[in-house]
Amino acid sequence: MEQLTPRQIVAELDKYIIGQKDAKRAVAIALRNRWRRQRLPAELRDEVAPKNIIMIGPTGVGKTEIARRLAKLVDAPFIKVEASKYTEVGYVGRDVESMVRDLTALAVDMVKEEKTKAVQERARELAEERLLDLLLPVGRVATTPGVEQTSDAGAITSAAETREKLRKRLHDGKLDDRTVELEVKDRGTPMVEIFSNSGIEEMDINVKEMLGNLMPQRVKRRKVKVREAQRILAQEEGDKLIDIDDVRSEAVRRVEDSGIIFLDEIDKIAGRESSHGPDVSRQGVQRDLLPIVEGCTVTTKYGLVRTDHVLFIAAGAFHVTKPSDLIPELQGRFPLRVEAASLTQDDFVRILTEPRNALIKQYVALLETEEVRLDFSEDAVQEIAAIASAVNQSTENIGARRLYTILERLLEEISFEAPAMQGARVDINAVYVRERLQEIVKNEDLSRYIL
Protein backbone atom coordinates (compact mmCIF):
# COMPACT_ATOMS: atom_id res chain seq x y z
CA MET A 1 0.00 0.00 0.00
CA GLU A 2 2.94 2.36 0.51
CA GLN A 3 3.52 2.47 -3.24
CA LEU A 4 -0.19 2.57 -4.14
CA THR A 5 -1.29 6.21 -3.95
CA PRO A 6 -4.98 7.06 -4.49
CA ARG A 7 -4.14 8.29 -8.00
CA GLN A 8 -2.40 5.00 -8.81
CA ILE A 9 -5.31 2.96 -7.42
CA VAL A 10 -7.72 4.87 -9.68
CA ALA A 11 -5.36 4.37 -12.64
CA GLU A 12 -5.30 0.61 -12.02
CA LEU A 13 -9.11 0.49 -11.83
CA ASP A 14 -9.35 2.54 -15.04
CA LYS A 15 -7.65 -0.30 -16.91
CA TYR A 16 -10.75 -2.46 -16.43
CA ILE A 17 -13.65 -0.19 -15.49
CA ILE A 18 -15.04 2.67 -17.57
CA GLY A 19 -16.47 5.71 -15.79
CA GLN A 20 -17.58 5.84 -12.13
CA LYS A 21 -14.88 8.34 -11.21
CA ASP A 22 -16.50 9.25 -7.87
CA ALA A 23 -16.75 5.62 -6.75
CA LYS A 24 -13.13 4.93 -7.69
CA ARG A 25 -11.90 8.01 -5.84
CA ALA A 26 -13.89 7.16 -2.69
CA VAL A 27 -12.56 3.59 -2.63
CA ALA A 28 -8.99 4.76 -3.32
CA ILE A 29 -9.09 7.25 -0.45
CA ALA A 30 -10.56 4.63 1.91
CA LEU A 31 -7.78 2.19 1.05
CA ARG A 32 -5.07 4.80 1.47
CA ASN A 33 -6.51 5.74 4.87
CA ARG A 34 -5.93 2.14 6.00
CA TRP A 35 -2.21 2.61 5.38
CA ARG A 36 -2.20 6.07 6.99
CA ARG A 37 -3.86 4.70 10.12
CA GLN A 38 -1.14 2.05 10.52
CA ARG A 39 1.47 4.82 10.75
CA LEU A 40 -0.28 6.67 13.59
CA PRO A 41 0.77 6.41 17.26
CA ALA A 42 -0.86 3.49 19.08
CA GLU A 43 -3.08 5.69 21.27
CA LEU A 44 -4.54 7.48 18.23
CA ARG A 45 -4.66 4.47 15.92
CA ASP A 46 -7.56 2.82 17.75
CA GLU A 47 -9.59 6.02 17.66
CA VAL A 48 -9.61 6.29 13.87
CA ALA A 49 -12.67 4.42 12.61
CA PRO A 50 -13.03 3.35 8.96
CA LYS A 51 -15.35 5.51 6.85
CA ASN A 52 -17.67 2.91 5.36
CA ILE A 53 -18.94 3.53 1.83
CA ILE A 54 -22.28 2.82 0.17
CA MET A 55 -22.44 2.82 -3.64
CA ILE A 56 -25.83 3.68 -5.10
CA GLY A 57 -26.58 3.10 -8.76
CA PRO A 58 -28.29 0.89 -11.35
CA THR A 59 -27.16 -2.63 -12.07
CA GLY A 60 -24.40 -3.27 -14.57
CA VAL A 61 -22.48 0.00 -14.14
CA GLY A 62 -19.38 -1.44 -12.45
CA LYS A 63 -20.04 -1.45 -8.70
CA THR A 64 -19.23 -5.13 -8.23
CA GLU A 65 -16.41 -4.98 -10.78
CA ILE A 66 -14.71 -2.29 -8.68
CA ALA A 67 -14.84 -4.70 -5.73
CA ARG A 68 -13.46 -7.61 -7.79
CA ARG A 69 -10.54 -5.57 -9.08
CA LEU A 70 -9.78 -4.24 -5.61
CA ALA A 71 -9.51 -7.82 -4.37
CA LYS A 72 -6.71 -8.44 -6.88
CA LEU A 73 -5.08 -5.06 -6.36
CA VAL A 74 -4.67 -4.77 -2.58
CA ASP A 75 -2.78 -7.25 -0.42
CA ALA A 76 -5.47 -7.30 2.27
CA PRO A 77 -8.10 -9.84 3.36
CA PHE A 78 -11.08 -9.16 1.10
CA ILE A 79 -14.42 -10.90 0.68
CA LYS A 80 -17.53 -10.13 -1.36
CA VAL A 81 -20.86 -11.27 0.04
CA GLU A 82 -24.53 -10.75 -0.85
CA ALA A 83 -26.70 -9.27 1.88
CA SER A 84 -29.72 -11.15 0.56
CA LYS A 85 -28.35 -14.58 1.56
CA TYR A 86 -28.33 -13.83 5.31
CA THR A 87 -31.21 -14.25 7.74
CA GLU A 88 -31.94 -12.99 11.21
CA VAL A 89 -30.43 -14.94 14.10
CA GLY A 90 -32.85 -17.64 15.21
CA TYR A 91 -34.03 -18.56 11.72
CA VAL A 92 -32.79 -21.16 9.26
CA GLY A 93 -29.98 -19.78 7.12
CA ARG A 94 -26.65 -18.02 7.54
CA ASP A 95 -26.24 -15.40 10.26
CA VAL A 96 -24.31 -12.21 9.49
CA GLU A 97 -21.37 -13.17 11.71
CA SER A 98 -20.48 -15.88 9.19
CA MET A 99 -19.14 -13.21 6.83
CA VAL A 100 -16.44 -12.39 9.41
CA ARG A 101 -15.67 -16.10 9.81
CA ASP A 102 -15.36 -16.46 6.04
CA LEU A 103 -13.06 -13.42 5.89
CA THR A 104 -10.86 -14.86 8.65
CA ALA A 105 -10.64 -18.25 6.94
CA LEU A 106 -9.64 -16.49 3.73
CA ALA A 107 -6.96 -14.52 5.61
CA VAL A 108 -5.57 -17.74 7.11
CA ASP A 109 -5.25 -19.24 3.62
CA MET A 110 -3.59 -16.04 2.40
CA VAL A 111 -1.00 -15.96 5.20
CA LYS A 112 -0.35 -19.70 4.90
CA GLU A 113 0.30 -19.32 1.18
CA GLU A 114 2.75 -16.48 1.83
CA LYS A 115 4.65 -18.43 4.47
CA THR A 116 4.67 -21.51 2.25
CA LYS A 117 6.33 -19.49 -0.51
CA ALA A 118 8.94 -18.29 1.99
CA VAL A 119 9.95 -21.87 2.86
CA GLN A 120 9.32 -23.27 -0.61
CA GLU A 121 12.97 -23.76 -1.48
CA ARG A 122 13.78 -25.55 1.79
CA ALA A 123 10.64 -27.71 1.48
CA ARG A 124 11.65 -28.67 -2.06
CA GLU A 125 15.11 -29.73 -0.84
CA LEU A 126 13.66 -31.89 1.94
CA ALA A 127 11.11 -33.39 -0.45
CA GLU A 128 13.90 -34.24 -2.87
CA GLU A 129 15.83 -36.13 -0.17
CA ARG A 130 12.72 -38.10 0.78
CA LEU A 131 12.07 -38.91 -2.86
CA LEU A 132 15.64 -40.13 -3.37
CA ASP A 133 15.22 -42.36 -0.31
CA LEU A 134 12.19 -43.91 -2.00
CA LEU A 135 13.97 -44.35 -5.32
CA LEU A 136 17.21 -45.64 -3.76
CA PRO A 137 16.66 -47.12 -0.29
CA VAL A 138 19.83 -47.05 1.86
CA GLY A 139 20.54 -50.51 3.33
CA ARG A 140 22.01 -50.94 6.79
CA VAL A 141 25.72 -51.77 6.90
CA ALA A 142 26.57 -54.68 9.24
CA THR A 143 29.65 -54.12 11.41
CA THR A 144 31.78 -56.70 13.20
CA PRO A 145 34.02 -55.66 16.17
CA GLY A 146 37.75 -55.84 15.43
CA VAL A 147 37.29 -56.29 11.66
CA GLU A 148 38.21 -53.55 9.22
CA GLN A 149 35.16 -52.57 7.19
CA THR A 150 36.83 -51.46 3.97
CA SER A 151 34.31 -53.08 1.69
CA ASP A 152 31.42 -51.48 3.58
CA ALA A 153 33.05 -48.06 3.31
CA GLY A 154 33.43 -48.63 -0.40
CA ALA A 155 29.78 -49.65 -0.61
CA ILE A 156 28.75 -46.47 1.17
CA THR A 157 30.85 -44.39 -1.23
CA SER A 158 29.34 -46.21 -4.18
CA ALA A 159 25.82 -45.65 -2.81
CA ALA A 160 26.53 -41.93 -2.39
CA GLU A 161 27.77 -41.70 -5.98
CA THR A 162 24.72 -43.56 -7.22
CA ARG A 163 22.49 -41.21 -5.22
CA GLU A 164 24.11 -38.16 -6.83
CA LYS A 165 23.68 -39.66 -10.30
CA LEU A 166 20.03 -40.32 -9.49
CA ARG A 167 19.66 -36.74 -8.24
CA LYS A 168 21.01 -35.43 -11.56
CA ARG A 169 18.57 -37.58 -13.52
CA LEU A 170 15.77 -36.29 -11.27
CA HIS A 171 16.76 -32.68 -12.00
CA ASP A 172 16.88 -33.42 -15.73
CA GLY A 173 13.31 -34.78 -15.61
CA LYS A 174 14.31 -38.27 -16.74
CA LEU A 175 12.53 -39.91 -13.80
CA ASP A 176 9.22 -38.01 -14.07
CA ASP A 177 7.30 -41.00 -15.43
CA ARG A 178 8.63 -43.52 -12.91
CA THR A 179 6.12 -44.71 -10.32
CA VAL A 180 6.79 -44.59 -6.57
CA GLU A 181 4.68 -45.59 -3.58
CA LEU A 182 3.98 -42.96 -0.94
CA GLU A 183 2.43 -42.96 2.51
CA VAL A 184 0.12 -39.96 2.72
CA LYS A 185 -2.18 -38.81 5.49
CA ASP A 186 -5.87 -39.44 4.92
CA ARG A 187 -7.44 -36.00 5.13
CA GLY A 188 -10.99 -37.33 5.31
CA THR A 189 -13.09 -36.27 8.32
CA PRO A 190 -16.06 -38.00 9.93
CA MET A 191 -19.42 -37.09 8.39
CA VAL A 192 -21.31 -35.08 10.98
CA GLU A 193 -24.53 -33.10 10.67
CA ILE A 194 -25.50 -30.51 13.27
CA PHE A 195 -28.94 -28.96 13.55
CA SER A 196 -28.86 -25.59 15.29
CA ASN A 197 -30.59 -22.22 15.02
CA SER A 198 -27.45 -20.10 14.90
CA GLY A 199 -23.79 -20.54 14.06
CA ILE A 200 -24.52 -23.86 12.35
CA GLU A 201 -21.42 -23.81 10.18
CA GLU A 202 -19.16 -22.99 13.15
CA MET A 203 -20.58 -25.82 15.30
CA ASP A 204 -20.25 -28.22 12.39
CA ILE A 205 -16.54 -27.39 11.98
CA ASN A 206 -15.79 -27.56 15.70
CA VAL A 207 -17.41 -30.98 16.16
CA LYS A 208 -15.56 -32.34 13.12
CA GLU A 209 -12.25 -31.06 14.51
CA MET A 210 -12.98 -32.54 17.93
CA LEU A 211 -13.81 -35.98 16.52
CA GLY A 212 -10.84 -35.77 14.17
CA ASN A 213 -8.48 -35.21 17.10
CA LEU A 214 -9.97 -38.12 19.05
CA MET A 215 -9.52 -40.58 16.22
CA PRO A 216 -6.06 -41.80 15.17
CA GLN A 217 -4.52 -40.28 12.05
CA ARG A 218 -5.01 -42.69 9.18
CA VAL A 219 -2.32 -43.22 6.56
CA LYS A 220 -2.92 -44.66 3.11
CA ARG A 221 -0.49 -45.78 0.43
CA ARG A 222 -0.63 -44.28 -3.05
CA LYS A 223 1.23 -45.09 -6.24
CA VAL A 224 2.02 -41.89 -8.10
CA LYS A 225 4.41 -40.60 -10.74
CA VAL A 226 7.64 -38.99 -9.54
CA ARG A 227 6.46 -35.59 -10.77
CA GLU A 228 3.32 -35.80 -8.61
CA ALA A 229 5.29 -37.28 -5.68
CA GLN A 230 7.58 -34.22 -5.65
CA ARG A 231 4.55 -31.93 -5.30
CA ILE A 232 2.95 -34.02 -2.53
CA LEU A 233 6.17 -34.34 -0.53
CA ALA A 234 7.02 -30.64 -0.93
CA GLN A 235 3.57 -29.74 0.40
CA GLU A 236 4.00 -32.03 3.41
CA GLU A 237 7.46 -30.65 4.19
CA GLY A 238 6.20 -27.09 3.77
CA ASP A 239 3.41 -27.74 6.28
CA LYS A 240 5.99 -29.04 8.77
CA LEU A 241 8.12 -25.90 8.42
CA ILE A 242 5.20 -23.53 9.10
CA ASP A 243 3.99 -22.68 12.59
CA ILE A 244 0.20 -22.81 12.24
CA ASP A 245 -0.32 -20.80 15.44
CA ASP A 246 1.71 -17.93 13.97
CA VAL A 247 -0.33 -18.18 10.78
CA ARG A 248 -3.60 -17.90 12.68
CA SER A 249 -2.51 -14.98 14.87
CA GLU A 250 -1.15 -13.09 11.85
CA ALA A 251 -4.38 -13.74 9.91
CA VAL A 252 -6.54 -12.44 12.77
CA ARG A 253 -4.34 -9.33 13.03
CA ARG A 254 -4.69 -8.64 9.30
CA VAL A 255 -8.46 -9.02 9.39
CA GLU A 256 -8.74 -6.62 12.32
CA ASP A 257 -6.38 -4.01 10.86
CA SER A 258 -6.96 -4.17 7.12
CA GLY A 259 -9.93 -6.45 6.38
CA ILE A 260 -12.44 -5.35 3.72
CA ILE A 261 -15.96 -6.70 3.29
CA PHE A 262 -17.92 -5.80 0.14
CA LEU A 263 -21.61 -6.10 0.98
CA ASP A 264 -23.50 -6.36 -2.30
CA GLU A 265 -27.27 -6.24 -2.87
CA ILE A 266 -27.83 -4.21 0.28
CA ASP A 267 -30.96 -2.71 -1.28
CA LYS A 268 -32.58 -6.17 -1.10
CA ILE A 269 -32.71 -5.95 2.70
CA ALA A 270 -34.05 -2.37 2.69
CA GLY A 271 -37.72 -1.86 3.36
CA ARG A 272 -40.10 -0.07 5.66
CA GLU A 273 -41.47 -1.78 8.73
CA SER A 274 -44.76 -3.56 8.09
CA SER A 275 -47.85 -3.10 10.20
CA HIS A 276 -47.50 -6.64 11.57
CA GLY A 277 -44.02 -6.14 13.01
CA PRO A 278 -40.48 -6.20 11.69
CA ASP A 279 -39.81 -8.15 8.53
CA VAL A 280 -37.67 -11.16 9.45
CA SER A 281 -35.77 -11.34 6.18
CA ARG A 282 -35.03 -7.62 5.92
CA GLN A 283 -35.05 -5.50 9.03
CA GLY A 284 -33.92 -8.44 11.14
CA VAL A 285 -30.80 -8.72 8.99
CA GLN A 286 -30.28 -4.95 9.22
CA ARG A 287 -30.43 -5.07 13.01
CA ASP A 288 -27.93 -7.96 13.07
CA LEU A 289 -25.61 -6.03 10.75
CA LEU A 290 -25.47 -3.02 13.08
CA PRO A 291 -23.02 -4.41 15.68
CA ILE A 292 -20.87 -6.06 12.97
CA VAL A 293 -20.45 -2.81 11.04
CA GLU A 294 -20.07 -0.63 14.13
CA GLY A 295 -17.56 -2.96 15.76
CA CYS A 296 -17.93 -6.08 17.87
CA THR A 297 -16.10 -9.30 18.68
CA VAL A 298 -16.92 -12.39 16.63
CA THR A 299 -15.98 -15.90 17.71
CA THR A 300 -14.24 -17.91 15.00
CA LYS A 301 -12.35 -21.19 15.08
CA TYR A 302 -9.14 -19.17 14.76
CA GLY A 303 -9.88 -17.03 17.80
CA LEU A 304 -11.77 -13.85 18.65
CA VAL A 305 -11.91 -11.27 15.84
CA ARG A 306 -12.76 -7.60 16.42
CA THR A 307 -14.51 -5.80 13.56
CA ASP A 308 -13.93 -2.23 14.82
CA HIS A 309 -11.54 -1.42 11.96
CA VAL A 310 -12.89 -3.64 9.19
CA LEU A 311 -13.87 -1.53 6.17
CA PHE A 312 -17.37 -2.18 4.81
CA ILE A 313 -18.26 -1.18 1.25
CA ALA A 314 -21.95 -1.65 0.47
CA ALA A 315 -23.59 -1.47 -2.94
CA GLY A 316 -27.11 -1.64 -4.28
CA ALA A 317 -29.19 -0.64 -7.29
CA PHE A 318 -32.07 0.73 -5.15
CA HIS A 319 -34.58 0.41 -8.01
CA VAL A 320 -37.54 -0.38 -5.79
CA THR A 321 -36.27 0.99 -2.49
CA LYS A 322 -34.05 3.93 -1.60
CA PRO A 323 -31.20 4.35 0.91
CA SER A 324 -33.53 6.15 3.33
CA ASP A 325 -35.50 2.88 3.62
CA LEU A 326 -32.61 1.39 5.57
CA ILE A 327 -33.03 1.73 9.32
CA PRO A 328 -31.48 5.04 10.51
CA GLU A 329 -28.84 3.32 12.65
CA LEU A 330 -27.51 1.40 9.65
CA GLN A 331 -27.53 4.51 7.48
CA GLY A 332 -25.30 6.17 10.07
CA ARG A 333 -22.78 3.32 9.79
CA PHE A 334 -22.19 4.24 6.13
CA PRO A 335 -21.30 7.96 6.22
CA LEU A 336 -19.90 8.08 2.66
CA ARG A 337 -22.39 7.79 -0.21
CA VAL A 338 -21.35 7.57 -3.85
CA GLU A 339 -23.73 7.82 -6.80
CA ALA A 340 -22.85 5.48 -9.67
CA ALA A 341 -23.98 7.04 -12.95
CA SER A 342 -25.88 5.20 -15.68
CA LEU A 343 -23.85 4.27 -18.75
CA THR A 344 -24.24 6.23 -21.99
CA GLN A 345 -23.69 5.16 -25.59
CA ASP A 346 -20.16 6.62 -25.51
CA ASP A 347 -19.46 4.58 -22.38
CA PHE A 348 -20.56 1.43 -24.21
CA VAL A 349 -18.14 2.19 -27.06
CA ARG A 350 -15.29 2.52 -24.57
CA ILE A 351 -16.33 -0.64 -22.69
CA LEU A 352 -16.25 -2.60 -25.94
CA THR A 353 -12.74 -1.50 -26.90
CA GLU A 354 -10.64 0.13 -24.15
CA PRO A 355 -10.35 -2.18 -21.08
CA ARG A 356 -7.75 -4.93 -21.00
CA ASN A 357 -10.59 -7.44 -20.82
CA ALA A 358 -12.81 -5.66 -23.39
CA LEU A 359 -15.64 -7.82 -24.74
CA ILE A 360 -14.57 -7.52 -28.36
CA LYS A 361 -11.04 -8.61 -27.43
CA GLN A 362 -12.53 -11.62 -25.65
CA TYR A 363 -14.64 -12.74 -28.62
CA VAL A 364 -11.76 -12.20 -31.08
CA ALA A 365 -9.48 -14.34 -28.90
CA LEU A 366 -12.12 -17.05 -28.43
CA LEU A 367 -12.68 -17.49 -32.17
CA GLU A 368 -8.95 -17.37 -32.90
CA THR A 369 -8.76 -20.74 -31.14
CA GLU A 370 -10.85 -22.05 -34.07
CA GLU A 371 -8.59 -20.20 -36.56
CA VAL A 372 -11.41 -17.79 -37.39
CA ARG A 373 -10.42 -14.13 -37.56
CA LEU A 374 -12.95 -11.45 -36.56
CA ASP A 375 -12.46 -7.83 -37.64
CA PHE A 376 -14.76 -5.24 -36.05
CA SER A 377 -14.96 -1.89 -37.83
CA GLU A 378 -15.47 1.37 -35.93
CA ASP A 379 -18.99 1.82 -37.29
CA ALA A 380 -19.86 -1.70 -36.09
CA VAL A 381 -18.77 -0.83 -32.55
CA GLN A 382 -20.81 2.38 -32.68
CA GLU A 383 -23.85 0.46 -33.94
CA ILE A 384 -23.57 -2.16 -31.20
CA ALA A 385 -23.33 0.58 -28.57
CA ALA A 386 -26.32 2.42 -30.05
CA ILE A 387 -28.46 -0.71 -30.03
CA ALA A 388 -27.46 -1.55 -26.44
CA SER A 389 -28.34 1.98 -25.33
CA ALA A 390 -31.68 1.91 -27.18
CA VAL A 391 -32.70 -1.48 -25.77
CA ASN A 392 -31.75 -0.38 -22.25
CA GLN A 393 -34.01 2.66 -22.63
CA SER A 394 -36.98 0.77 -24.06
CA THR A 395 -36.75 -2.22 -21.69
CA GLU A 396 -35.07 -2.80 -18.35
CA ASN A 397 -31.78 -0.93 -17.93
CA ILE A 398 -29.21 -3.60 -17.05
CA GLY A 399 -26.17 -1.48 -17.91
CA ALA A 400 -23.11 -3.04 -19.53
CA ARG A 401 -24.56 -6.53 -19.13
CA ARG A 402 -26.72 -5.70 -22.15
CA LEU A 403 -23.58 -5.90 -24.29
CA TYR A 404 -23.16 -9.57 -23.39
CA THR A 405 -26.59 -10.50 -24.72
CA ILE A 406 -26.24 -8.37 -27.85
CA LEU A 407 -22.80 -9.74 -28.78
CA GLU A 408 -23.92 -13.31 -28.15
CA ARG A 409 -26.89 -12.76 -30.46
CA LEU A 410 -24.72 -11.01 -33.05
CA LEU A 411 -22.08 -13.75 -33.19
CA GLU A 412 -24.34 -16.75 -32.62
CA GLU A 413 -24.12 -18.04 -36.20
CA ILE A 414 -20.34 -17.57 -36.42
CA SER A 415 -19.77 -19.26 -33.05
CA PHE A 416 -21.90 -22.21 -34.11
CA GLU A 417 -20.24 -22.70 -37.51
CA ALA A 418 -16.67 -21.78 -36.41
CA PRO A 419 -15.27 -25.37 -36.46
CA ALA A 420 -16.14 -25.58 -40.18
CA MET A 421 -14.75 -22.11 -40.94
CA GLN A 422 -11.06 -22.64 -40.13
CA GLY A 423 -8.88 -20.04 -41.85
CA ALA A 424 -11.83 -17.75 -42.60
CA ARG A 425 -11.93 -14.02 -41.95
CA VAL A 426 -15.20 -12.33 -40.99
CA ASP A 427 -15.63 -8.56 -41.26
CA ILE A 428 -18.15 -7.19 -38.77
CA ASN A 429 -19.45 -3.80 -39.94
CA ALA A 430 -22.50 -1.67 -39.22
CA VAL A 431 -24.50 -3.29 -42.02
CA TYR A 432 -23.85 -6.78 -40.62
CA VAL A 433 -24.85 -5.63 -37.13
CA ARG A 434 -28.13 -4.10 -38.36
CA GLU A 435 -28.99 -7.20 -40.39
CA ARG A 436 -28.51 -9.47 -37.39
CA LEU A 437 -30.23 -7.31 -34.80
CA GLN A 438 -32.72 -5.00 -36.54
CA GLU A 439 -35.72 -7.31 -36.14
CA ILE A 440 -35.10 -7.66 -32.42
CA VAL A 441 -34.77 -3.91 -31.94
CA LYS A 442 -37.95 -3.19 -33.95
CA ASN A 443 -40.07 -5.70 -32.10
CA GLU A 444 -40.07 -4.44 -28.51
CA ASP A 445 -41.91 -7.49 -27.17
CA LEU A 446 -39.34 -9.79 -28.75
CA SER A 447 -36.45 -7.71 -27.48
CA ARG A 448 -37.87 -7.92 -23.96
CA TYR A 449 -37.95 -11.70 -24.27
CA ILE A 450 -34.53 -12.25 -25.86
CA LEU A 451 -32.48 -9.30 -24.60
Side-chain angles (χ1 to χ4, degrees):
M1 279 301 301
E2 187 172 356
Q3 287 76 29
L4 277 177
T5 65
R7 190 178 300 277
Q8 289 172 327
I9 293 172
V10 172
E12 288 295 321
L13 294 176
D14 284 341
K15 294 177 182 178
Y16 299 95
I17 304 156
I18 299 300
Q20 311 311 337
K21 180 180 178 181
D22 292 342
K24 292 174 184 175
R25 287 173 64 93
V27 169
I29 292 171
L31 288 180
R32 188 64 177 181
N33 281 338
R34 313 304 298 277
W35 176 78
R36 291 166 179 160
R37 175 181 165 271
Q38 295 299 322
R39 300 174 66 87
L40 293 175
E43 62 273 9
L44 184 58
R45 190 184 307 151
D46 289 338
E47 302 299 327
V48 179
K51 308 303 184 289
N52 298 322
I53 304 168
I54 182 168
M55 298 183 191
I56 304 164
T59 184
V61 298
K63 302 188 301 295
T64 305
E65 187 67 11
I66 288 175
R68 288 182 60 246
R69 293 300 163 184
L70 276 177
K72 295 182 178 181
L73 183 61
V74 298
D75 188 19
F78 181 99
I79 191 171
K80 173 187 173 292
V81 297
E82 285 76 34
S84 53
K85 74 178 183 181
Y86 296 101
T87 60
E88 185 179 359
V89 171
Y91 293 85
V92 175
R94 304 199 73 191
D95 63 281
V96 294
E97 289 187 353
S98 63
M99 70 176 69
V100 181
R101 300 188 190 109
D102 293 341
L103 180 64
T104 308
L106 185 144
V108 169
D109 292 340
M110 179 189 301
V111 175
K112 187 176 180 180
E113 184 178 353
E114 290 177 5
K115 291 187 177 295
T116 300
K117 287 181 180 178
V119 300
Q120 191 172 15
E121 191 61 33
R122 178 59 179 160
R124 190 182 294 115
E125 292 173 1
L126 294 172
E128 183 178 292
E129 296 301 326
R130 285 182 59 186
L131 188 57
L132 289 173
D133 290 340
L134 291 171
L135 293 169
L136 185 67
V138 180
R140 293 184 177 180
V141 180
T143 60
T144 306
V147 179
E148 189 177 355
Q149 303 295 329
T150 54
S151 60
D152 291 338
I156 292 174
T157 303
S158 176
E161 292 175 353
T162 305
R163 187 180 181 90
E164 290 306 313
K165 291 179 181 178
L166 200 62
R167 188 192 305 275
K168 187 177 185 305
R169 295 188 66 192
L170 181 64
H171 290 169
D172 294 339
K174 296 179 180 178
L175 303 177
D176 286 352
D177 294 328
R178 182 179 293 190
T179 303
V180 295
E181 192 172 20
L182 294 180
E183 285 189 355
V184 295
K185 293 180 180 179
D186 189 0
R187 298 180 180 272
T189 54
M191 201 66 180
V192 180
E193 288 191 25
I194 300 295
F195 295 93
S196 170
N197 286 335
S198 62
I200 180 170
E201 63 282 338
E202 192 67 19
M203 286 189 64
D204 190 26
I205 292 170
N206 288 341
V207 171
K208 284 182 179 179
E209 286 185 344
M210 180 182 68
L211 293 180
N213 292 332
L214 290 175
M215 296 179 181
Q217 183 71 52
R218 293 188 298 175
V219 176
K220 61 180 181 180
R221 303 188 70 84
R222 287 182 58 192
K223 289 185 176 181
V224 296
K225 301 287 187 183
V226 167
R227 188 188 305 108
E228 177 69 8
Q230 281 182 299
R231 186 191 63 80
I232 295 173
L233 293 175
Q235 183 177 355
E236 287 185 2
E237 294 299 328
D239 290 342
K240 293 177 184 177
L241 294 172
I242 295 173
D243 188 341
I244 192 63
D245 291 331
D246 286 347
V247 170
R248 293 181 175 185
S249 60
E250 171 66 14
V252 170
R253 186 195 64 78
R254 288 196 190 182
V255 169
E256 293 180 342
D257 290 340
S258 58
I260 303 172
I261 294 179
F262 186 85
L263 193 58
D264 204 4
E265 308 289 355
I266 196 171
D267 57 316
K268 303 301 187 292
I269 62 170
R272 297 193 177 279
E273 199 161 317
S274 64
S275 58
H276 301 291
D279 190 328
V280 168
S281 64
R282 292 186 176 185
Q283 292 205 351
V285 177
Q286 292 186 55
R287 289 193 300 273
D288 289 346
L289 272 174
L290 283 176
I292 302 291
V293 178
E294 184 179 17
C296 67
T297 302
V298 178
T299 302
T300 73
K301 66 176 183 177
Y302 305 108
L304 299 177
V305 177
R306 293 172 58 237
T307 65
D308 300 68
H309 299 288
V310 174
L311 175 65
F312 287 84
I313 304 174
F318 290 97
H319 285 311
V320 180
T321 58
K322 48 187 181 293
S324 59
D325 289 335
L326 293 168
I327 60 177
E329 295 86 350
L330 190 59
Q331 293 181 50
R333 304 295 190 274
F334 291 91
L336 300 183
R337 295 189 180 184
V338 179
E339 294 282 347
S342 298
L343 298 174
T344 64
Q345 181 176 332
D346 290 339
D347 291 331
F348 285 147
V349 172
R350 296 181 61 197
I351 289 170
L352 286 169
T353 57
E354 289 185 16
R356 290 186 175 180
N357 61 337
L359 284 177
I360 287 181
K361 295 178 184 176
Q362 293 180 28
Y363 280 98
V364 170
L366 282 172
L367 287 171
E368 276 183 355
T369 61
E370 302 270 12
E371 298 183 15
V372 176
R373 180 179 174 184
L374 287 182
D375 283 333
F376 284 82
S377 63
E378 291 186 13
D379 60 346
V381 175
Q382 291 284 348
E383 189 68 22
I384 293 170
I387 292 174
S389 180
V391 175
N392 270 348
Q393 291 176 12
S394 61
T395 62
E396 292 294 332
N397 184 1
I398 61 173
R401 293 188 177 95
R402 184 70 66 189
L403 296 173
Y404 285 94
T405 54
I406 286 182
L407 281 171
E408 278 294 326
R409 185 69 176 174
L410 175 67
L411 302 174
E412 180 183 16
E413 187 69 24
I414 299 173
S415 297
F416 187 82
E417 299 293 345
M421 297 170 60
Q422 289 187 357
R425 170 179 170 174
V426 183
D427 294 320
I428 309 293
N429 52 32
V431 175
Y432 183 90
V433 173
R434 281 193 290 270
E435 287 177 354
R436 296 290 301 170
L437 300 176
Q438 64 179 348
E439 292 301 322
I440 297 173
V441 176
K442 285 181 180 178
N443 190 336
E444 186 172 327
D445 292 335
L446 188 60
S447 66
R448 282 180 183 273
Y449 175 72
I450 295 178
L451 298 180

